[in-house]
Amino acid sequence: MSSLQMLCSGLPLRPLPQNPGRWAGVPHAPVRTPGLSPLEEQLALRNALRYFPPDVQELLAQEFAQELRLYGHIYMYRFCPSIEMKAYPIDQYPCRTRAAAAIMHMIMNNLDHAVAQFPQELVTYGGNGQVFSNWAQFWLTMYYLSKMTEDQTLVMYSGHPLGLFPSSPGAPRLVITNGMVIPNYSSRTEYEKLFALGVTMYGQMTAGSYCYIGPQGIVHGTVLTVLNAARRYLGIEDLAGKVFVTSGLGGMSGAQAKAAVIVGCIGVIAEVDKAALAKRHQQGWLMEVTDSLDHCIERLREARKKKEVLSLGYHGNVVDLWERLVYELDTTGELLVDLGSDQTSCHNPFNGGYYPVQLSFVEAQHLMASNPPAFKDLVQESLRRQISAINRLAKERFFFWDYGNAFLLEAHRAGADVAKKGANKTEFRYPSYVQHIMGDIFSQGFGPFRWVCTSRDPQDLAVTDKLATSVLEKAIVDGVKASVKLQYMDNIRWIREAAKHQLVVGSQARILYSDQKGRVAIAVAINQAIANGHIKAPVVLSRDHHDVSGTDSPFRETSNIYDGSAFCADMAVQNFVGDACRGATWVALHNGGGVGWGEVINGGFGLLLDGSPEAEHKARMMLSWDVSNGVARRCWSGNPKAYEIICQTMQENSGLEVTLPHDVRDERMLQQALQP
C-alpha cells in the first residue's frame, strides 16, 4: 500500500513496481481494434517508452508491446498504484497550494473504484471517457501538482502533462485540452489510431476535466427530464403507475434506476452486462433484478396495477424488451409503457457502447475484437430492429426521446426509419431531450451546477445543502417568474430527496440545476460559510460540460438552435477562454463527449472557494460569464425565453451589453427577395 507522499514523488522506477496485469474481479474496458500498421505499432511503443529512462526500456518494451497486442492500447498496468484510490481529505495531500490539493482530490475521485467504470484502464464513464491515457501520465501529473506554486500553471495535452509553466496567481493553475484534433482528421477511425499512439484522448466531458461526481449528476438530470417529459407529453405531475423503459446501467446510465424511484414511477432498465446490473443492485439503486422476460412483463403489469414505485433491472438486451412490449400490445391490446428513452453508449457503438441483440454479451465481446466489420453489421441491424419496435409503440400514447447519446444519429446511419420529413439535419422522428424537454430550461440559464466538499465530511455537505435550499427559497419569496419558480421548486425537492436517497458515491458532492442568480448566490453563501468556519475545508465549484454555455453539440445541447449555427463551436471555446480570464482554478476544452468524437466541442471548469474575498470576487465574475455567454448566444439564435432573460440580466448589470436580434417574420418579403 503506497502513501500519498509516495504518489507525489514521481514515477516509481527504482525499483520498478511489480506488474499485476489486469486485476480480476474488476470491470475492464473492451479490447480496442485501432488497426495500426507495423510502423505505427513501433511508433506507439516508442511514444510510451519515452516516459522512461533507457535502463528500463527493454523490460518495459516487451510488456507494453503485449498490452498493445492484447488490448489495443498501452495502459501501463505495471504502474497502476496500489494505494486505495479515492478522494482523500484535502489536507492530506502533500502540496504547496490548496488549489493543487483540490485538483488531486478530484482526479482520485474520478479513478475511485466505486466511481470509475473501468478503473484500471483509467476510464471514468461512458465506455471510453479517459482521465489519462496511461498510468505514467497519472504519476507525473500528481508529481507536478505537488510541486506547483501560485505562480505556475500545469498544462495538459490530452492526458499528457506537458509541464509547469510560469504564470501568475490570477491565472488558472491547470489548463486541460483533450482531443483537439485538426477537424479534417477528427474521424472515429483516426481517433482509434491516435489514441493507440498515445497522442490524443477522449475525455468525455467530466472524466478528462476531473469534475465527475459519480452517477448523482445524471440521476438529477434524469429526474428533471422525466418530470418535465411527464408534464409535456402526459400532462401530469404525478407519475404513479406510469412506466419508463430504457437501457443501460453503466457509468452514467446506472442513474436511471434511482431517478425512476425519486420521481415515483416504474422504471424498467435493460442491461446486458451482469456485473453492471449487480453493482447497481448492491448499491440499492435497483430494487429488483430479473433475467426472465416473462417475469419482467408480469412484474411490470403488477406494479402498474398497484401504482408501485419500482426500479426493475432486466438482465438482457433492450431490443428483446422493446419487441416483447410490441408483442403484448399486438396480442392483448395493452400498452404497457408510457415513456421511453435509451442510455446505451451509442456515441461509441462499435467498441462496446452498444451490444447487438443477436449475440450474448460474451459472444459480442469476442466478435468485436475478432471481426469488427461483422460486429458493426450486427449492431446496425439491432438498431434497426429497436427503432422498428419503438415506432410501433409510438403509434399509441407512448412517447420516446433521444437522451443525447447519439442513439437516433447512429440509428439513422444504420438505415433505421427515424427520418422526419422537412426537418433539418439535427432533427429526427423523435426529439432529443434538449429539443423538447430541457432546451427551454437551458435558455433560461438553468443547468447542472455542482460542488464538492474537499474535507470529505458529510456534515459539510449537509451544511451546503441547507445553504443552497435557503438561497432558492429566498429567491422565490423575493419574487420570480412562474417558469423560474417551477425550476427552483424542482431543485429544492431534489436536494431533499438527494439527502434522503444517499446519492453520494465517492466525493462529498451535490448537484442541482440553477440559473445565474442562483449559482452566484449559492457560491457566495458557501464561501462565507468557509470563512466563518461553518464548513471545515475549501469547496470546489464546477458543473457538467452539458450546460447552458459549455457545449456546442448539434445533436444534443445545441439541437434546439435553428439559425444554422448549431454546428459552430464558438460558444464552447469562448466559454473556456472566458472562464480562464475570470478566475477559474482550472479549465478544460474537449473534442467529443455525450454524442461522440468529432460531434461536439465542450468545456468545463473548477473553481476553488477558500473563504477569501478573492474567491468570492472570482465566483461572481466567472459564474456570471459562464451562464450569460450561453443565454446571449441562444437569444441571438431567436429563442424568446433567452431574449427575456438576457434583457433582464442587462438591466441588473450595467457592465453587460449584448447584441439583440430583431424579428424577421415576413416570409413573403424573404421569398420575393430571393426570386430571380
Side-chain angles (χ1 to χ4, degrees), residues 319-574:
V319 179
D320 287 326
L321 178 56
W322 285 120
E323 290 180 343
R324 177 62 180 267
L325 290 167
V326 169
Y327 172 81
E328 295 296 328
L329 174 63
D330 289 342
T331 57
T332 70
E334 188 177 12
L335 179 66
L336 295 175
V337 56
D338 302 284
L339 301 170
S341 191
D342 183 278
Q343 272 199 39
T344 53
S345 294
C346 250
H347 67 276
N348 186 34
F350 311 124
N351 199 31
Y354 182 97
Y355 283 80
V357 66
Q358 305 92 329
L359 302 174
S360 71
F361 182 62
V362 174
E363 289 170 340
Q365 287 189 317
H366 176 73
L367 186 65
M368 189 193 314
S370 63
N371 192 341
F375 182 79
K376 179 179 179 179
D377 288 345
L378 290 181
V379 165
Q380 294 191 319
E381 180 188 331
S382 188
L383 284 165
R384 292 192 294 270
R385 282 176 56 178
Q386 185 169 344
I387 288 295
S388 179
I390 290 167
N391 287 349
R392 170 66 187 94
L393 295 167
K395 292 179 181 179
E396 312 299 325
R397 190 171 168 74
F398 160 71
F399 301 93
F400 184 89
W401 66 86
D402 182 290
Y403 215 130
N405 58 338
F407 172 70
L408 290 179
L409 178 63
E410 288 302 331
H412 175 70
R413 289 168 174 168
D417 184 12
V418 293
K420 179 181 178 182
K421 290 182 180 178
N424 64 35
K425 290 191 289 185
T426 66
E427 294 180 293
F428 298 107
R429 172 183 287 207
Y430 305 105
S432 80
Y433 75 120
V434 172
Q435 287 169 330
H436 267 201
I437 303 168
M438 301 299 285
D440 280 347
I441 294 174
F442 279 174
S443 296
Q444 294 178 81
F446 282 86
F449 180 56
R450 58 180 62 168
W451 59 88
V452 176
C453 298
T454 64
S455 65
R456 203 179 168 92
D457 187 341
Q459 185 56 41
D460 277 355
L461 184 61
V463 172
T464 64
D465 282 348
K466 289 177 184 176
L467 288 172
T469 301
S470 65
V471 164
L472 299 184
E473 288 174 338
K474 182 180 184 300
I476 292 172
V477 171
D478 290 346
V480 291
K481 288 170 42 188
S483 58
V484 172
K485 180 181 177 180
L486 179 63
Q487 295 307 317
Y488 280 166
M489 291 177 67
D490 280 350
N491 280 279
I492 290 168
R493 171 186 171 184
W494 158 256
I495 293 174
R496 291 171 178 155
E497 291 287 333
K500 185 169 71 177
H501 285 275
Q502 299 178 330
L503 291 175
V504 169
V505 178
S507 58
Q508 292 292 316
R510 184 66 72 226
I511 186 171
L512 58 77
Y513 267 54
S514 186
D515 57 357
Q516 179 178 324
K517 279 186 178 179
R519 296 185 204 204
V520 171
I522 290 169
V524 169
I526 290 175
N527 196 59
Q528 289 173 350
I530 297 168
N532 62 32
H534 293 157
I535 296 174
K536 302 175 191 67
V539 171
V540 172
L541 299 183
S542 185
R543 58 162 170 75
D544 198 343
H545 297 199
H546 163 69
D547 194 21
V548 182
S549 309
T551 298
D552 284 295
S553 178
F555 295 99
R556 195 163 86 169
E557 285 81 357
T558 48
S559 61
N560 67 332
I561 288 178
Y562 302 111
D563 67 351
S565 70
F567 293 88
C568 301
D570 300 82
M571 179 179 72
V573 176
Q574 287 281 2

Side-chain angles (χ1 to χ4, degrees), residues 254-285:
Q256 297 180 108
K258 179 60 77 174
V261 172
I262 292 174
V263 302
C265 73
I266 300 156
V268 184
I269 307 99
E271 171 60 61
V272 294
D273 184 353
K274 191 171 185 178
L277 193 107
K279 180 177 181 179
R280 299 307 177 197
H281 192 219
Q282 289 162 7
Q283 285 176 332
W285 289 33

Side-chain angles (χ1 to χ4, degrees), residues 5 8-10 94-97 100 104 141-150 152 164:
Q5 191 71 47
C8 297
S9 59
C95 294
R96 296 179 180 180
T97 73
M104 287 182 170
T141 300
M142 298 295 279
Y143 169 77
Y144 283 132
L145 288 169
S146 73
K147 299 295 183 185
M148 177 192 290
T149 71
E150 292 288 354
Q152 291 175 303
L164 291 170

